[in-house]
């Protein structure tokens, strides 16, 4: 089994580190939150006294951080890990950040002989706890292959999208598309309901027709069509509107850089932003269903 | 086997009538085109000398016509079939028209004791030829059940969405959603390509993630990702941009009547209209992929 | 001075009839509301006991009604005025309805030798009270000229857009454009504010640059930039969100009929519908400014 | 009169430098293009042999460069002017760049005691030649006031939007709004034309109604409504589609940073990008009128 340093024990990182321990890996963790560290210790992790300590003897250093500047700070900052990492260590950043920052970190570590892959995840908090995450990786083929064992301890799918940064690109492409599926499915259901159709019947018909998509399969946005999904639980839990808005912002940043035309993705960004601003930022992203409720006739 | 009158032998209606004959039904057809009639005769249909003749002794009268006014004219016009249909005949209109017109025809026929269901199809010309269409029906449950045998001769799925008109509503909901899936998937693929990803790899990743949808499964819009689809055949054949624009227009008419908010469906209508106006109306609707090509940097 | 029959004494019609009296015309009114009739009587109007009575000896019959079916009912219904109007009477419909209905009414009256013009207004309740409305007319040039005197008693501008129905088309084109100006100006101001600019300073700069438009001139949507406008009065009064949504629906109906691409107008319809659905339907349409408030950063 | 160093002699910078000479200022220019330098010499400018030479004895250094990295390179690069500028020199950057870069340059120069203002322009090549540009400035009030004389030699309006960077913000707010006015006006005119209205008559009506805006006043996008505008000259000259797309990209970058919701501006960015990609990037931005031509009915 491997020796793993793990940085960032939030809603995602905490359960991920715990799953590594369960799989038999030796895990040393660091986070700024004492509570998070205590919980990790209970799960069987060793606790580092400073971030540098996680690198000691590590086969892998894994990070799960909120935004670009955290990742850049941890690896390239003035007290960054770039000078402390050993050459045999493989760095795996699971944060969702811009491809640019991933490439920058990867390039600077490569200059020091340290391997790096970006490996953003999909599957949410539920997937992190259940160990069923999907990892979408960017990096050399050999590096991604070397990471498969530890990643499989936390998830069930490991994809390689291309070189360093490609994992981030594929992740935002997927999530931009997901936002479009969710908004489009919500609209189609609401249009049907407004014309007297039963949401379950319409969902079933579209699921078996050319409207079939992931949201109809496992994440129906209309309350009480499906059990165990956020829409049937008052849109609590799941993948927050604010996090979708963040990912859509990353997608638009990428589109601006490449000159890509994304009329649909631009629109969902604006829908999710407005929806957040109207007070729904902490609801599951399927709550956009409520946003396209037909105007009550006067 | 049944005696069937069939009106409208276009790209869809022609092969549908031929499949009825293959299944052993006795089919009498009518169309304004001599060529279409000749082809149907070759396929084993009897040819009516006027539209009224298709009603004689018919268990079912099936129509497949281009637009609302054709359907209204055939059944309710001054020489319409309303006065010639026998009460045991079940009328099945497979045209894609507004729910209002379907309800109007259904109601006027009902007053004369004649049963009517709307049964618009999905599956395109390919599905019509292969006999694999999906029928989305609106009408009384007993009437839809009575139609199943003849519909199954032309397709493989028969859904009942609700009462008369509900088939049309469900069809446009599905097709509006389909347009959103297609445009969104095209954008996501183009964004990935613009950032150096391989379209096949990205398609595979999204297919196994939350971006999964019908277009990635069977109708990838990016050339050479999938065999045997319009995108790999210069966007020839398939479901035309102009037909998608027509269906999206029907969806917006419905949305206007009900006050439904459809930001995504409104946008795809405008995208498909512009795309048609720019000369792509006769291409497959997956050609919208070309429309969201990134702007070449200057 | 002229003898005028006036039908429809709502927020607009009431003050319009009163202004006709002030200008010296002899006005007989009809409405279903007793209160409205009483108020009109106080303003000097004669009150008809039924709608037909307003046609007696009338040089002009003017109607100001909420929707298509009211106008069609009054002029073409089973007890409609079509059989009671004298040939010398000029019918002026000031309602905002579809061009189709206007043309239908115009054509049926024309067959009976009665002249008709559509003359929808802009200027709102304020303009109706102040007698400063703009009338956008459709009809024969001679008919529009014949109407100028009475129209000028209620407004200050009379335009002729073309033949019958053209007034309605021009009105919805203008109002669709107005919605775009309002939403676009709101966004631009909010973007500036989010980046530290003063709304007054930015308004002044854009007003003197290529961003100049009617909303910056007389109807600034940002509170406290301008005095005496709805935005400085908690968005009370003015032109209601629901009425703008109605006009945008008429514009989209027209666009659907002609195949016009209206990406901007489709989007504003959806914005205004959502805004209404979220509870702002009775606020002034400049309240869309609040809808594009930047997402508070988390 | 003042001693001015001028960097960047493109379509805008060339005529701007020439106008400074005409007003009596002593102007030393630098550009990488020999042809541009020769033309400036002919107009009475002195030619610098390297970029540093323009700073010698300069009261003002003015730059007019294509993009952020040029501006950053000239002032902060390894051979940048930051070490060569004297403290009494006022730096005026007229380029359209991001507010961030403007603030970065301003802050670094301020640390060295050098005053800086951003002063992006509106008015296009025509305004640059005619000396009728509008300057939208960001910087300390005293610095903007000190710049007024030289700016007035090249334009007719000088606004101060706020501190350093505010000029850039106001410029992109204005141009984002302008794109909305142009697209919205084009749509409204096309909708009217599709319903039989005369474009001149409709333009006149909207100009005198609440649809009034800068494009209807001086830049009508419909051919042959107005003389001397790009739409009446096959959309040649004017403000290019590609430049509008660039400014809209800057606006979206700003919106992403602040979390501003800009549904209209996001849509026009996508419209202008598609329009460019379809081969219209070198046409005037009013050519978007052609993009919203109604779909020809089949």
């Amino acid at each position: 089994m491997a020796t793993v340093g793990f940085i960032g024990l939030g809603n995602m990182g905490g359960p991920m580190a715990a799953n590594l321990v369960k799989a038999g890996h030796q895990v040393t963790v660091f986070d700024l939150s004492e509570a998070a560290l205590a919980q990790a210790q209970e799960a069987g992790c060793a606790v580092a006294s400073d971030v540098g300590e996680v690198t000691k003897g590590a086969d892998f250093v894994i990070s799960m951080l909120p935004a670009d500047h955290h990742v850049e700070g941890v690896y390239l900052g003035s007290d960054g890990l770039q000078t402390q990492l050993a050459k045999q260590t493989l760095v795996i950043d699971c944060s969702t950040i811009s491809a640019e920052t991933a490439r920058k970190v990867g390039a600077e570590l490569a200059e020091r002989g340290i391997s790096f892959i970006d490996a953003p995840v999909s599957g949410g908090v539920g997937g992190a706890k259940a160990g069923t995450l999907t990892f979408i990786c960017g990096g050399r083929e050999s590096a991604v292959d070397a990471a498969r064992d530890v990643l499989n301890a936390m998830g069930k799918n490991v994809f390689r999208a291309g070189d360093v940064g490609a994992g981030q690109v594929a992740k935002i492409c997927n999530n931009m598309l997901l936002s479009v599926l969710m908004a489009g499915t919500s609209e189609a259901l609401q249009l049907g309901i407004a014309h007297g159709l039963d949401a379950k019947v319409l969902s079933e018909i579209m699921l078996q027709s050319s409207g079939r998509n992931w949201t109809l399969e496992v994440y129906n946005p209309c309350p009480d069509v499906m059990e165990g999904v956020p829409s049937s639980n008052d849109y609590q839990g799941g993948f927050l509107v604010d996090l979708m808005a963040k990912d859509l912002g990353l997608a638009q940043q990428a589109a601006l850089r490449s000159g890509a035309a994304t009329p649909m993705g631009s629109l969902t960004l604006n829908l999710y932003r407005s929806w957040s601003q109207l007070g729904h930022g902490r609801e599951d992203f399927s709550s956009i269903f409520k946003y396209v409720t037909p105007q009550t006739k006067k």
Side-chain angles (χ1 to χ4, degrees), chain A residues 123-136:
Chain A
V125 174
K129 286 181 180 162
T132 58
L133 293 171
T134 292
F135 293 90
I136 306 179

Side-chain angles (χ1 to χ4, degrees), chain A residues 207-219:
Chain A
L207 188 54
Q208 298 193 48
S209 305
S210 49
R212 180 170 58 246
N213 69 81
W214 183 88
T215 71
L216 286 173
E217 287 171 352
V218 302
Y219 216 94

Side-chain angles (χ1 to χ4, degrees), chain A residues 178-194:
Chain A
L178 171 58
S179 75
V180 170
L181 304 184
M182 188 55 89
T185 299
S186 295
E187 265 182 38
L189 289 173
Q190 290 279 24
L191 181 60
I193 293 166

Side-chain angles (χ1 to χ4, degrees), chain A residues 10-12 66 125 219 230-231 233-246 271-288 290:
Chain A
N11 291 334
M12 297 291 295
V125 174
Y219 216 94
S231 63
N233 187 28
D234 212 14
Y235 299 104
Q236 295 309 298
F239 183 49
L240 300 190
V241 163
D242 280 345
L243 291 176
M244 180 52 96
K246 177 203 162 195
L271 294 177
Y272 274 104
R273 273 195 183 149
S274 291
W275 195 229
S276 170
Q277 183 55 28
L278 293 163
H280 303 271
R282 309 290 301 167
E283 293 177 1
D284 178 68
F285 82 118
S286 64
S287 64
I288 201 77
K290 293 185 285 181

Side-chain angles (χ1 to χ4, degrees), chain A residues 60 100 131 144 148 161 179 183 204 213 253 259 273 288 295:
Chain A
F60 303 93
E100 275 60 42
V144 174
R148 284 185 192 272
S179 75
E204 187 60 24
N213 69 81
Q253 272 178 20
R273 273 195 183 149
I288 201 77
Q295 181 190 359

